Amino acid sequence: MTMRIKKLILHRLQMPLKEPFKNSLTTTTHKDFTLVELIDESGLRGFGETVAFRSPWYTEETSDSTRLMIEKHLCPIVKEQPYEHPSEFGKRIRDVRRNNMAKAAVEGALWDLYAKKENVPLYKLIGGVRSQVRAGVSIGMQDSISTVLEEIEQALLAGYERVKLKIKPGNDIALIEAVRNDYPDLALMVDANSAYTIDDIEHLKQLDKYNLLMIEQPLGTDDFVDHAKLQQQIETPICLDESIHTLSDVKTAITLGSCQIINMKLGRVGGFTEAVRIHDYCRENGIPLWGGGMLEAGVGRLQSLALATLDNFKFPADTAASDRYFKRDILRQPVEVDNGFIHLSESAGIGHDIDREALRLYRVEKKVLT
Ligand code: MG
């Protein structure tokens, strides 16, 4: 079905987090992002959101760079020609290097719009095989181990099935030891956000006795070779997150043996088309996936959940309920966790309506491009 984009609206939103979220590199207090709204000639609307953070600690992209990239470079392209399918967007923006989170926000809006046009849920359109996703939580760094233990207790009471701890040198072994003492059978993993180097191999070997599901991104974002060396020395599976931007990165990682698991994030790989290609390649090569979170607001949250319904997603996602991070989400029906699962809507597209009042509440800038 042909899709012609008539109008784009860029909403810049600033949503305060209920509590600051801290990892080895930064503390996030607000989610500052762009909600992309595409409107076609029949008046249908598709939504996507940028997931980049305010500073470039995670990847090189930021809230500001994604907004600029969308406005100056992607918006003019998105309206140029009609679409038979949203995957055509990737071919049209081949000359825009990297900037994957900016691309994913626009591409995500195209997919949502297309799914609404076809009157199918987005997750089914991309090939999802389940209508529910097991939910896990990521617990940011806290001032004390006892606070982490309290957070875990609350997460388990709320029904979450898997816990991820943020670690760094000096905030790792004692923390994991304490958690394992209290929760010997908990599905537990850790994420270092590149806090270690190859010189820490002996130190990281200590993790092997704690039966962790994985250690995520222990080394630098482009250290494929060093991750491979580390994986040869430790039993805990390495999961790559920040390193993976393209299918080509995945091929490098698998060829070198840099990881056993990949954390796939829609924004980081530039949208659904590339994400599905990576998913299929990983499935063929025996590398399971799971989906981490980017402190997304509602639209990004629903799109990450749609991706996590593909069959090679094997671990509970980091995509928690809306109310874990925000007092009020931008959806009329917020994302909720029910007995450890998030159920996806069977309505067309992302399946939830935008809460326009919340949009006005958080909006600091609005640009209409026709
Ligand atoms: Mg991570």
Side-chain angles (χ1 to χ4, degrees), residues 11 24 31 146 162 164 181-182 205 212 253 260 305 311 317 323 331 333 339 354:
H11 310 263
S24 66
K31 186 71 195 207
S146 61
R162 193 228 67 221
K164 177 165 111 178
N181 279 341
D182 280 16
K205 277 183 183 172
L212 300 173
Q260 297 183 39
L305 286 165
D311 68 353
D323 71 359
L331 304 173
Q333 316 92 336
N339 280 326
I354 300 295

Side-chain angles (χ1 to χ4, degrees), residues 150-257:
E150 280 165 29
E151 291 248 342
I152 292 174
E153 192 59 38
Q154 282 172 21
L156 296 178
L157 285 171
Y160 293 102
E161 294 207 338
R162 193 228 67 221
V163 169
K164 177 165 111 178
L165 303 174
K166 293 286 189 178
I167 60 166
K168 65 177 180 181
N171 184 45
D172 49 12
I173 306 300
L175 169 69
I176 298 164
E177 171 100 27
V179 173
R180 263 290 172 248
N181 279 341
D182 280 16
Y183 302 97
D185 302 318
L186 175 65
L188 182 66
M189 55 188 280
V190 295
D191 184 3
N193 294 106
S194 302
Y196 300 90
T197 73
I198 195 68
D199 297 332
D200 295 314
I201 285 185
E202 288 308 314
H203 179 74
L204 291 169
K205 277 183 183 172
Q206 296 176 77
L207 296 177
D208 286 344
K209 61 176 180 278
Y210 298 110
N211 188 29
L212 300 173
L213 290 172
M214 65 191 89
I215 175 170
E216 195 177 332
Q217 199 71 40
L219 310 180
T221 59
D222 43 13
D223 286 351
F224 288 103
V225 172
D226 284 350
H227 273 112
K229 285 182 188 163
L230 175 63
Q231 185 64 91
Q232 284 168 8
Q233 300 278 325
I234 64 170
E235 285 167 26
T236 306
I238 291 178
C239 168
L240 289 181
D241 175 2
E242 284 93 325
S243 296
I244 305 296
H245 302 265
T246 61
L247 176 58
S248 189
D249 290 334
V250 171
K251 289 179 179 173
T252 302
I254 294 176
T255 304
L256 294 175

Side-chain angles (χ1 to χ4, degrees), residues 280-294:
D280 294 351
Y281 185 85
C282 287
R283 186 178 50 194
E284 285 159 23
N285 285 276
I287 298 288
L289 305 172
W290 73 283
M294 293 289 288

Side-chain angles (χ1 to χ4, degrees), residues 59-61 69 93 96-103 242-243 245-246 249:
T59 67
E60 64 276 21
E61 293 184 272
M69 186 56 54
I93 54 161
V96 179
R97 302 279 173 241
R98 305 279 281 203
N99 290 287
N100 285 350
M101 293 178 185
K103 291 174 180 172
E242 284 93 325
S243 296
H245 302 265
T246 61
D249 290 334

